[in-house]
Amino acid sequence: MTRDWWKHMVLILGTIIVLAPFYMMVSYSFKSPGEIDRGEGGFFGRQEMMIDPRCAALRQPDRADIEAARARFAGQDDASVQASLLAETEADCSMRPVLFNYSKAFTEAPLIRYLLNGVIVTVSIFLIQIVVALPAAYALSKLKFWGRDAVFGLVLFCLLIPVHAIALPLYIGLAKLGLTNTYAALVVPWTISVFGIFLMRQFFMTVPDDLIDAARMDGMSELAIVWRVMLPTAIPALLAFAIFSVVAHWNDYFWPRIVVTGNRDLFTPPLGLREFKGDGDGSFFGPMMATATVIVTPLIVAFLLAQRRFIEGITLSGMK
Amino acid sequence: MAVVDHSVAGIAKPKPDNRQARAGWGLVAPALTLMALILLVPIIVAAVLSFTNYSLGNPGFDWVGVQNYERLFTRSTYEKMFIATFTYVVTVVPISVGLGLGAALLVHSLGRIGDIYKTIYFLPVMATLLAMAIAWEFMLHPTIGMVNRTLEMACGTWFEALPFFANGCAEGFPLWLGDRDYAIWVVCFIGIWQGFGFNMVLFLAGLTSVHRELYHAAEMDGARSGWERFRLVTWPALGPTTVFVVTISCIRAFQVFDTIEAFWPQGGGPNKSAYVMMFAIFEKGIQQNLIGIGSAITMLFLLFVMFLTLIQRWLVERKVHY
């Protein structure tokens, strides 16, 4: 232990740099604009009551409000009625910075909708990938047919093509079909996972043939074998692939940025955050960092809960 | 991905009857169709359009020969694009691979306590890059950012002996993202910050497969120091992993986009110093609707990436194994 101290020093230095932006993101999501500007308040900020400037501006008492409130403050002159009304407004509009930031994150933009879109897109991508890739992987590993090697060769060739790189022609195709700004546009390019086919094929190679022969004896069709025999044996590999796929598409920014323009109803979480940044002024650092925290948290929490599986899934592409 | 097992193909029962053939083609048909439509046809489309002046919304187009490619190699904008892209790749790949390997060796040697570092270093890989880019942007804010505030704390101490601090304390620390001398390096730094944990995990997987006996054998043969053991045993054993890590880092580095777009939605950095290829495809092809030139960049991009992967496969097939 003692002779390892220098290793810990180096690794702790790395830890500080790695965690710094996370620390800042979460810390700013707790702080009031003033504290962010002045750079004070430690990690949690002082959480003093603050007044929401927009709320206060909206509810500035005018002539009519004073007339209406005259009954409540009988016997006072206009100035003192106005003062009492202002005090009420401020009381109504003041809240803790942490509440302010997170409530703004959810009310300034339809963040729930964005998160839901993120879930819809990632889940449909994954399900379609499986529906397409699993039968192909089974055929390529367990069925003998003329042309199989050619198909597998094609799969190996397609592994070379990063989908992001061919975004432009894909975009043109979708635009020609009138599909931009739809869920379909967000999902379609990812429906075919060549990597998924390759991975599942390698996995199916290890499944004993007897299992399949027995199923055939029972009179199962080949398609039924895929879903009722092969799928259950492939759960561990599928889980790893699921993590790989979900992480990639939850975090993806490039493709949604291209095919979704302006239609907020289709925004995925990163797009929503980007828009927030676009129209944010100085006082909105807090709510913006709250949005960022909300978007990053689900995957981080899932990762911390199931580290081994996540690392397996993400580095999957690195294993044979 | 590295090793393809052809030998297993012979195990399947040798009765290629019609029924199996029909089932086989039926099962691969959807995947095959999608592969053709989504991956192969677009490449052909891009290849064709790169020789035209097509724009979305125009009824037709003219053939312009190699004019688009000629522009790529003559205009200064694209020269900046190549410089930015290669600067990024050449910086990020070696450093993130090196740091990944270093971190893996340290973490591996610490045993179970090392796992906590592994978890922490992997966090940036999981986090949405766009969100983290925005967080970094705040960190690097010239006046209220954490980085410059921390640097300012060094003012008045012996740090001022260093030219960088002396200059910074007198005239203010760099603007980072707004400064064309720093912009691309900041982007590189974030690329490394995000990617080295991924490389570390791949190297760790490689390290666990190195046999203990090899170290004993090396020691018998007189490899006493840690460096000797690394040079003689660890490094050769990590050969295949290294090839893979370098390739995947290159491909990922070529595709850098999120940080650039988050920092500079218009124009790719001060004086286009961070105008990388993916951003160029996005700006030219999609925002400005110059499909011809965008397709030409796409073709070059594919060429680079495929070339890299082919080198990797060639290296692996030659067996970089010990």
Side-chain angles (χ1 to χ4, degrees), chain A residues 7-8 11 37 39 144 146 156 160 176 213 251 253 257 270 274 277 285 288 307 311 317-319, chain B residues 1 13 20 25 54 109 117 119 121 126 128 130 134 137-138 149 201 244 261-262 265 298 309 313:
Chain A
K7 293 179 184 167
H8 285 286
L11 289 169
D37 272 349
K144 249 184 126 44
W146 181 85
L156 289 182
L160 290 171
K176 282 278 168 209
D213 287 336
N251 289 339
Y253 172 64
R257 180 80 181 78
R274 185 70 187 75
K277 178 179 181 264
F285 283 175
M288 198 166 125
Q307 280 181 53
I311 290 179
S317 47
M319 295 168 194
Chain B
M1 195 193 297
K13 290 268 162 61
Q20 246 190 43
W25 278 104
Y54 180 69
S109 72
Y117 296 111
T119 308
Y121 291 177
M126 300 294 309
T128 310
L130 183 84
I134 291 174
E137 194 177 2
F138 282 154
R149 277 209 178 119
V201 168
F244 178 75
E261 213 273 347
T298 299
T309 322
R313 284 198 189 160

Side-chain angles (χ1 to χ4, degrees), chain B residues 114-160:
Chain B
D115 279 358
I116 178 115
Y117 296 111
K118 180 165 99 174
T119 308
I120 291 169
Y121 291 177
F122 203 69
L123 285 178
V125 183
M126 300 294 309
T128 310
L129 182 56
L130 183 84
M132 299 326 289
I134 291 174
W136 273 111
E137 194 177 2
F138 282 154
M139 302 264 299
L140 294 163
H141 193 287
T143 52
I144 64 167
M146 212 185 249
V147 172
N148 278 6
R149 277 209 178 119
T150 313
L151 290 175
E152 275 158 21
M153 287 199 297
C155 289
T157 65
W158 59 268
F159 273 109
E160 275 208 63

Side-chain angles (χ1 to χ4, degrees), chain A residues 173-186:
Chain A
L174 290 168
K176 282 278 168 209
L177 295 171
L179 282 176
T180 48
N181 287 311
T182 59
Y183 280 114
L186 288 168

Side-chain angles (χ1 to χ4, degrees), chain A residues 58-79:
Chain A
L58 275 178
R59 299 181 42 175
Q60 202 62 253
D62 57 12
R63 203 61 240 162
D65 293 327
I66 295 176
E67 292 299 332
R70 204 180 285 280
R72 283 199 289 140
F73 304 96
Q76 293 178 9
D77 61 10
D78 279 4

Side-chain angles (χ1 to χ4, degrees), chain A residues 1 4 6-8 10-12 14-15 17-25 28 36-39 132 135-136 138-140 142-148 151-152 154-172 175-176 188-189 191-192 194-195 197-198 201-202 205 209 213 216 220 222-223 226 247 250-251 253-254 257-258 270-271 273-274 277 285 288-289 292 295-296 299-300 303-304 307 310-311 314-315 317-320, chain B residues 1-6 8-9 11-17 19-21 23-25 27-28 30-32 34-35 37-40 42-43 45-46 49 54 56-58 103 106-107 109-110 113 115 117-132 134-139 141 144-146 149 189 193 196 198 201-202 205 244 248 251 255 257-258 261-263 265 278 281-282 285-287 291 294-295 298 301-302 305-306 309-310 313 321:
Chain A
M1 184 69 207
D4 283 341
W6 67 272
K7 293 179 184 167
H8 285 286
V10 173
L11 289 169
I12 287 170
T15 303
I17 295 170
V18 166
L19 291 184
F22 290 100
Y23 172 90
M24 198 227 55
M25 178 176 77
Y28 276 22
I36 292 174
D37 272 349
R38 292 187 300 274
V132 173
Y138 168 70
L140 289 177
K142 292 295 179 193
L143 296 180
K144 249 184 126 44
F145 57 95
W146 181 85
R148 185 181 76 168
V151 175
F152 188 60
L154 196 65
V155 168
L156 289 182
F157 173 74
C158 286
L159 272 173
L160 290 171
I161 308 167
V163 179
H164 277 168
I166 51 170
L168 183 58
L170 282 173
Y171 167 77
I172 297 168
K176 282 278 168 209
V188 162
T191 49
I192 176 79
V194 193
F195 175 63
I197 297 177
F198 178 76
R201 173 194 178 264
Q202 301 305 87
M205 289 292 209
D209 283 336
D213 287 336
R216 286 201 187 113
M220 275 177 146
E222 296 296 328
L223 197 61
V226 174
V247 170
W250 179 268
N251 289 339
Y253 172 64
F254 181 66
R257 180 80 181 78
I258 286 177
L271 281 181
L273 179 62
R274 185 70 187 75
K277 178 179 181 264
F285 283 175
M288 198 166 125
M289 286 295 106
I295 290 170
V296 170
L299 286 185
I300 296 285
F303 164 64
L304 292 177
Q307 280 181 53
F310 265 75
I311 290 179
I314 305 292
T315 55
S317 47
M319 295 168 194
K320 298 163 200 173
Chain B
M1 195 193 297
V3 171
V4 183
D5 199 351
H6 287 293
V8 194
I11 294 177
K13 290 268 162 61
K15 45 165 191 180
D17 54 308
R19 199 178 135 270
Q20 246 190 43
W25 278 104
L27 292 178
V28 290
L32 211 55
L34 286 174
M35 231 165 11
L37 285 179
I38 292 173
L39 299 172
L40 300 176
I43 294 184
V45 170
L49 288 179
Y54 180 69
L56 266 180
N58 285 8
L106 288 181
V107 165
S109 72
L110 286 177
I113 331 167
D115 279 358
Y117 296 111
K118 180 165 99 174
T119 308
I120 291 169
Y121 291 177
F122 203 69
L123 285 178
V125 183
M126 300 294 309
T128 310
L129 182 56
L130 183 84
M132 299 326 289
I134 291 174
W136 273 111
E137 194 177 2
F138 282 154
M139 302 264 299
H141 193 287
I144 64 167
M146 212 185 249
R149 277 209 178 119
F189 170 78
W193 171 85
F196 87 97
F198 182 78
V201 168
L202 292 177
F244 178 75
I248 199 158
I251 293 173
Q255 294 187 51
F257 174 81
D258 297 15
E261 213 273 347
F263 295 154
M278 278 314 249
I281 293 175
F282 173 70
I286 286 156
Q287 288 190 315
I291 306 272
S295 303
T298 299
F301 189 96
L302 282 173
V305 170
M306 290 194 175
T309 322
L310 287 176
R313 284 198 189 160
H321 299 261

Side-chain angles (χ1 to χ4, degrees), chain A residues 66-185:
Chain A
I66 295 176
E67 292 299 332
R70 204 180 285 280
R72 283 199 289 140
F73 304 96
Q76 293 178 9
D77 61 10
D78 279 4
S80 61
V81 170
Q82 188 178 12
S84 340
L85 278 178
L86 263 179
E88 271 179 19
T89 307
E90 286 192 355
D92 284 350
C93 286
S94 66
M95 51 174 108
R96 303 276 175 207
V98 58
L99 265 180
F100 170 78
N101 289 339
Y102 280 90
S103 63
K104 279 290 168 213
F106 282 95
T107 53
E108 283 294 304
L111 183 56
I112 300 272
R113 178 71 195 246
Y114 300 162
L115 294 171
L116 192 67
N117 284 340
V119 173
I120 293 173
V121 169
T122 45
V123 170
S124 18
I125 287 175
F126 172 67
L127 290 181
I128 299 176
Q129 281 177 337
I130 291 302
V131 168
V132 173
L134 226 51
Y138 168 70
L140 289 177
S141 61
K142 292 295 179 193
L143 296 180
K144 249 184 126 44
F145 57 95
W146 181 85
R148 185 181 76 168
D149 290 344
V151 175
F152 188 60
L154 196 65
V155 168
L156 289 182
F157 173 74
C158 286
L159 272 173
L160 290 171
I161 308 167
V163 179
H164 277 168
I166 51 170
L168 183 58
L170 282 173
Y171 167 77
I172 297 168
L174 290 168
K176 282 278 168 209
L177 295 171
L179 282 176
T180 48
N181 287 311
T182 59
Y183 280 114

